[in-house]
Amino acid sequence: MGTATSVRDRILLAATQVVSEVGSGHLTLDRVAATAGVSKGGLLYHFGTKRELIQAMVFEVLGAFRKKITAKMEQTEVSKNVRLAATIQVVKERTTTEKQQLRALFAAYSEDPKLLEPAREVLKNHVDEIRNEAIDSDAALTIVLAIEGIRFMELFELLPLDQKEVDHMLDRLHGLCV
């Protein structure tokens, strides 16, 4: 990876930081450039508009999530509900930065709900794959919805549980699927 990739990644990380710190309504190219330590022209070289930046944030979140699930699936020792078990592990092992990156979806929705079309498609495919692989598709869907409830309550900082309790619940969900 060259300098252009690292600058692009720094800009995406800065955009995530801005959304996390001041909210998506205050996401401006000037603020992102300043946070990333690049000129506005440097930012515009990589992302011509705020919309392009937000689209890239969404694709970054989706791509990283899928990649981590695939890696977990290859490492897992469970024999049933492999994708679901991998999803739970990925959610459990998220870093603070990865949790903040989920806010990119909120920024996209605030800017233009159509920017979430790729996310809708990826999540639909992911849920369909889980249901198709599951021994009990209704139980699998219930577990997926519980996981997503945790993720979205975290997004809005509404989750009334500490990290230890969240981990315990994710362990319980994992136990239900394997």
Side-chain angles (χ1 to χ4, degrees):
M1 289 191 178
T3 304
T5 302
S6 64
V7 170
R8 184 181 188 282
D9 290 344
R10 258 190 13 237
I11 293 168
L12 288 170
L13 188 59
T16 298
Q17 185 179 343
V18 168
V19 170
S20 182
E21 290 175 1
V22 296
S24 61
H26 298 284
L27 178 70
T28 65
L29 297 180
D30 289 324
R31 186 171 281 185
V32 172
T35 303
V38 299
S39 68
K40 187 171 180 181
L43 183 147
L44 291 170
Y45 173 79
H46 294 279
F47 307 101
T49 64
K50 179 179 173 182
R51 182 181 182 86
E52 286 179 24
L53 174 62
I54 292 172
Q55 281 178 317
M57 291 170 69
V58 169
F59 282 112
E60 184 76 17
V61 169
L62 297 174
F65 187 64
R66 294 292 286 186
K67 185 177 180 181
K68 286 185 174 218
I69 289 170
T70 300
K72 281 289 175 197
M73 287 175 66
E74 292 170 358
Q75 298 169 0
T76 190
E77 296 178 13
V78 299
S79 59
K80 59 182 182 176
N81 298 323
V82 175
R83 185 176 307 276
L84 181 56
T87 300
I88 294 168
Q89 286 306 117
V90 167
V91 170
K92 185 176 178 185
E93 296 171 4
R94 289 170 303 150
T95 65
T96 300
T97 300
E98 289 168 332
K99 290 177 185 178
Q100 290 173 345
Q101 286 173 330
L102 190 58
R103 291 191 172 118
L105 300 178
F106 187 68
Y109 186 81
S110 297
E111 183 72 16
D112 179 357
K114 292 177 185 170
L115 289 173
L116 287 180
E117 283 304 320
R120 287 183 190 100
E121 188 65 28
V122 166
L123 290 174
K124 181 188 179 320
N125 290 341
H126 182 65
V127 170
D128 287 347
E129 290 167 345
I130 287 173
R131 290 175 84 179
N132 290 336
E133 294 172 5
I135 294 167
D136 180 344
S137 64
D138 288 342
L141 182 57
T142 301
I143 292 168
V144 168
L145 293 174
I147 295 165
E148 293 305 323
I150 289 169
R151 291 176 66 207
F152 283 99
M153 288 181 80
E154 284 179 339
L155 169 69
F156 293 106
E157 299 178 1
L158 296 172
L159 193 61
L161 307 174
D162 63 29
Q163 192 58 51
K164 185 176 178 182
E165 292 171 306
V166 171
D167 288 346
H168 175 71
M169 296 313 304
L170 291 169
D171 287 340
R172 292 291 310 264
L173 291 169
H174 189 268
L176 293 173
C177 77
V178 295

